[in-house]
Amino acid sequence: MERDIYDEDHEAFRDVVKEFIKRYVTNEKREQWDAAGEIDRETMLAAGEAGIIGLSVPEEFGGAGMLQDYRFRAVVNEEVIAAGAGSLAGAFGIQDDLAVPYLVHMGTEEQKATWLPRMATGEVLGALAMSEPGAGSDLRGIKTTAKRVEGGYLVNGAKTFISSGKTADIVVTFVKTGEGNRPDAFSILIIENGMNGFDHGKKLHKMGFQGHDTAELSFTDVFVPEENLIGGQEGRGFIQLMMNLPLERLSIGVAAASAAQAAFDWTVAYTRDREAFGERIIDFQNTRFQLATVSATVEALWAYNDRAVKAYGESKLTAEEAAKYKFWSTEREWEVLDTCVQLHGGYGYITEYPIARAFLDARVHRIYGGTNEIMRDIVSRPFAK
Ligand SMILES: Cc1cc2nc3c(=O)[nH]c(=O)nc-3n(C[C@H](O)[C@H](O)[C@H](O)COP(=O)(O)OP(=O)(O)OC[C@H]3O[C@@H](n4cnc5c(N)ncnc54)[C@H](O)[C@@H]3O)c2cc1C
């Protein structure tokens, strides 16, 4: 069925993204990112120049001012993932969906003016650090502390699994500024790369998203000036996190739908081309039936996706709805990817093929952004009231 959420501005923007991909997302580049375990800064700067990142930065700070209209970000996800560059899509998402929104929605005017113009161009890259070695799902269990000292905070602790953690210039960091685990015991600080006592631990080796860095971070008596307290308000960190999590979950859902569509397209092309027993693979009834199921799933994914994107644009996507879409879409994505790998036979297991990489990338969609068990918990809590 035809999708109807995009208008001609989005389609014109799609052409810009396709042009960018033609120039910057070559096989050679992708191999280089995978080997380095990170996206090179040149590519991020080129994306800034082309207006592909910084979409969520307000126009007055040099961006496209499209934080509320997620359709432009969705176009980037669809096209970059279709080009087999999940890692690049991930790096773009961390900048626009995870880091920038904290500054746009909650930053002080000074924080916005300091960081946003350079985040729009890719000169400053951000990351979001919530998870710790001992606390992921249970974020109130974090141990990283920020102790009030004259002029700022002294931060001690460690974070792990931080996407863009090695390459980021600033890390939006969830810390404890109070006692206990009440919501007002937490705050968010911008910790800058190069601050004394801020170290990057090992770069983590993942099964998927090979070209996007995921790092451990450690903080030993890092002095963070009070100007870097997000929104200038202590004790608001938990609420600030809750405000942005629906967008993070929407973005994972969009990536999941995009990957499912791409997998379907690659698999139709592959099974038309490959032969066995004197026939094309696509001519076997099993293949066509499997593809019919995948095609219906992809259709349903887009229908749900487009409703979620629209609801977000109208400020109506609740925490429960975002969580529901996140777990449902990533589970459908997983089924689709698994079927499509199978239809590729042995080549489906070889990472030279985009289907194998997309399969490995997809696995974490059910884990990060809040695990799907936590999503089900959020969705079902109101039922029990
Ligand atoms: C590649 C990658 C990138 C990531 N990027 C980031 C990032 O940029 N920033 C960041 O802050 N974090 C990031 N994360 C961390 C991610 O969000 C966490 O791994 C995730 O939230 C789960 O936390 P955990 O690993 O501590 O698992 P745990 O919380 O230890 O969970 C282990 C298992 O127990 C289940 N479980 C836990 N609590 C409950 C419950 N109440 N009910 C039922 N089951 C439960 C979980 O669902 C899971 O199956 C990333 C992780 C990965 C792998």
Side-chain angles (χ1 to χ4, degrees), residues 100-128:
V100 165
Y102 282 90
L103 287 152
V104 175
H105 285 313
M106 301 140 198
T108 60
E109 284 313 306
E110 193 193 336
Q111 288 165 350
K112 290 180 192 181
T114 304
W115 303 112
L116 288 176
R118 287 178 294 147
M119 292 185 93
T121 58
E123 286 162 271
V124 168
L125 297 179
L128 173 67

Side-chain angles (χ1 to χ4, degrees), residues 13 30 57 62 88 104 130 166 187 194 225 246 252 272 287 297 320 372:
F13 179 65
R30 225 203 41 249
V57 173
L88 184 63
V104 175
M130 302 175 283
K166 177 173 170 277
S187 301
I252 295 170
R272 274 187 192 156
T287 307
T297 306
E320 289 83 6
N372 282 11

Side-chain angles (χ1 to χ4, degrees), residues 94 98 128-132 135-138 160-163 206 214 364 367-371 373-374:
I94 295 297
L98 267 69
L128 173 67
M130 302 175 283
S131 306
E132 298 191 354
S137 300
D138 179 14
T160 193
F161 302 137
I162 307 309
S163 302
K206 311 185 291 288
T214 305
V364 81
I367 297 172
Y368 66 22
T371 66
E373 291 74 31
I374 297 298

Side-chain angles (χ1 to χ4, degrees), residues 8-25 46-53 55 64 72 75-76 79-80 92:
E8 54 195 34
D9 288 345
H10 303 105
E11 294 311 330
F13 179 65
R14 191 184 296 280
D15 292 338
V16 173
V17 179
K18 283 184 174 165
E19 195 48 45
F20 173 85
I21 289 169
K22 221 187 281 170
R23 280 190 67 185
Y24 294 100
V25 188
E49 174 88 35
I52 287 170
I53 55 168
L55 285 166
F72 290 94
V75 166
V76 173
E79 296 302 325
V80 176
F92 289 168

Side-chain angles (χ1 to χ4, degrees), residues 69-273:
D69 186 350
Y70 197 75
R71 292 174 294 177
F72 290 94
R73 280 281 308 125
V75 166
V76 173
N77 259 318
E78 286 173 26
E79 296 302 325
V80 176
I81 289 172
S87 293
L88 184 63
F92 289 168
I94 295 297
Q95 180 80 343
D96 266 23
D97 302 334
L98 267 69
V100 165
Y102 282 90
L103 287 152
V104 175
H105 285 313
M106 301 140 198
T108 60
E109 284 313 306
E110 193 193 336
Q111 288 165 350
K112 290 180 192 181
T114 304
W115 303 112
L116 288 176
R118 287 178 294 147
M119 292 185 93
T121 58
E123 286 162 271
V124 168
L125 297 179
L128 173 67
M130 302 175 283
S131 306
E132 298 191 354
S137 300
D138 179 14
L139 284 174
R140 291 202 211 184
I142 63 158
K143 297 230 166 358
T144 298
T145 55
K147 200 169 151 246
R148 201 79 173 87
V149 291
E150 205 189 325
Y153 295 88
L154 266 194
V155 179
N156 282 285
K159 297 286 176 184
T160 193
F161 302 137
I162 307 309
S163 302
S164 299
K166 177 173 170 277
T167 45
D169 304 287
I170 59 169
V171 182
V172 175
T173 311
F174 187 56
V175 294
K176 260 190 103 159
T177 41
E179 295 300 317
N181 68 355
R182 284 177 21 182
D184 63 3
F186 304 93
S187 301
I188 298 181
L189 292 173
I190 299 169
I191 303 189
E192 299 170 42
N193 197 2
M195 282 180 162
N196 268 342
F198 173 18
D199 289 312
H200 296 88
K202 43 176 208 296
K203 189 151 75 178
L204 301 167
H205 296 281
K206 311 185 291 288
M207 66 164 86
F209 288 112
Q210 298 288 349
H212 185 202
D213 56 303
T214 305
E216 290 178 339
L217 311 177
S218 79
F219 310 105
T220 311
D221 286 335
V222 181
F223 175 75
V224 180
E226 60 198 0
E227 301 86 80
N228 286 23
L229 173 68
I230 286 270
Q233 288 174 298
E234 203 179 287
R236 300 265 306 155
F238 199 74
I239 294 164
Q240 289 165 335
L241 272 196
M242 293 305 120
M243 280 168 67
N244 202 55
L245 283 172
L247 173 60
E248 181 174 349
R249 288 162 187 164
L250 174 67
S251 76
I252 295 170
V254 171
S258 304
Q261 176 71 63
F264 172 74
D265 295 340
W266 296 328
T267 308
V268 169
Y270 181 83
T271 55
R272 274 187 192 156
D273 206 41

